[in-house]
Amino acid sequence: MEVGFIGLGAIGHPIAKRLAEQHRLTVWNRTVERAQAFADETGATVAASPKEVGTGAEVVLACLPNSPEVEAVLAGTNGDGLAEGLEPGALVIDLTSGIPSSSKRIAEDLAAKQVAYLDAPVSGGTSGAAAGTLTVMVGGSDEAFARALPILQVFGKRIEHVGPVGAGHALKAVHNSLIALHLFGLGEALTTLAKAGVTPRKALDVINASNGKSFVSERLIPERVLTREWPRTFRLALLDKDVGIARDLMADVGVEAPVLGLVSKLLHEAALTLGDEADHVEVLRIHERRAGVELSG
Ligand code: NDP
């Protein structure tokens, strides 16, 4: 298939790399050097503009920080936007973890050009993208979902059609707010236990053999914090954005969310303290500093 891809960031890059192995891929990235390096690596074609990605493409995937960036790339400047190039019958798959109300607006605008749209955010991290084992949560019509499935299967293992346009973004934001909740809960739990004489390794061994465990306790903290490796795979700024989307969604639908409200506030403060490039797991550094302990071992 003629496939376009926009946004070769931390997770976009490994997804696009898998697509390049099976389809004719044309890419565009804001920083053109990244697109060129990707093309040198994979044989993909570099487009001069988002419009050029759309021209002749059957499917275009976007993987950008948030929905405003997707809307800006669709609109472009001086007629070079993706929407300008898309032809009737094309399909846009938005892998961005974005905003449900924005995705509904985008879908309506594209429908006027007879272009289909799915919100299809992913979970499973950069390693899951490279391995083709991502979870994909899709919002949109049955017909568009059926068309997208062979493309999503190139990088996804569990692919769920979760509802109409916007449903994928809603689920992704709420899911990521649970990760944030676990990061804060475990930061408090493990620093408390360290000061009470239980080593972080011993505490996690017991928690992970019991019912309080989570992905954060089983994988993220043992592999990244206890080892002091702190790899940067998913920026804290992006998790902050996701939790903000979940908080706004809860307000929109009229659900009171005091716990998430507090997590959102703390996470935003952490993002400001740790900076734009910090990884989401580095939230634990704040707990370490505050308690005066190191969660290693
Ligand atoms: P990165 O910050 O690594 O990459 C962002 C990408 O978007 C880059 O290609 C960047 O281009 C491009 N970009 C940023 N701003 C603009 C703009 N204004 N106009 C055009 N392009 C722009 O993010 P990730 O790849 O980590 O994340 C992408 C999406 O996937 C986010 O929604 C994130 O929440 C989600 N996600 C990320 C996961 C992860 O593990 N990293 C896991 C699951 C979901 P440039 O090269 O020029 O900076």
Side-chain angles (χ1 to χ4, degrees), residues 16 21 56 77 79 97 104 153 175 185 245:
E21 286 164 10
T77 46
S97 302
K104 286 180 197 146
Q153 282 166 338
H175 168 270
I245 294 171

Side-chain angles (χ1 to χ4, degrees), residues 127-181:
S127 56
T133 57
L134 291 174
T135 297
V136 192
M137 34 207 119
V138 187
S141 71
D142 291 339
E143 196 229 328
F145 178 73
R147 281 170 62 201
L149 199 52
I151 292 288
L152 300 178
Q153 282 166 338
V154 173
F155 52 85
K157 188 171 169 202
R158 175 134 194 179
I159 300 160
E160 291 282 344
H161 186 193
V162 299
V165 168
H169 281 157
L171 179 50
K172 172 68 186 177
V174 170
H175 168 270
N176 274 22
S177 67
L178 295 176
I179 295 180
L181 201 69

Side-chain angles (χ1 to χ4, degrees), residues 64-116:
L64 297 173
N66 198 358
S67 297
E69 286 82 13
V70 177
E71 292 190 285
V73 161
L74 278 161
T77 46
N78 304 322
D80 68 352
L82 171 61
E84 196 70 33
L86 288 167
E87 290 157 24
L91 168 66
V92 173
I93 304 176
D94 188 1
L95 305 175
T96 307
S97 302
I99 303 166
S101 55
S102 303
S103 45
K104 286 180 197 146
R105 193 167 54 232
I106 293 169
E108 276 170 22
D109 290 350
L110 290 176
K113 300 174 69 81
Q114 292 163 314
V115 171

Side-chain angles (χ1 to χ4, degrees), residues 7-12 28-31 34 63-65 69 73 95-97 122 125-126 172 233-235 238 241-242:
L8 298 165
I11 198 151
W28 182 83
N29 192 70
R30 180 181 62 174
T31 306
R34 277 195 180 161
C63 192
L64 297 173
E69 286 82 13
V73 161
L95 305 175
T96 307
S97 302
V122 300
T126 51
K172 172 68 186 177
T233 64
F234 176 45
R235 293 188 297 118
L238 292 173
K241 171 259 311 181
D242 292 334

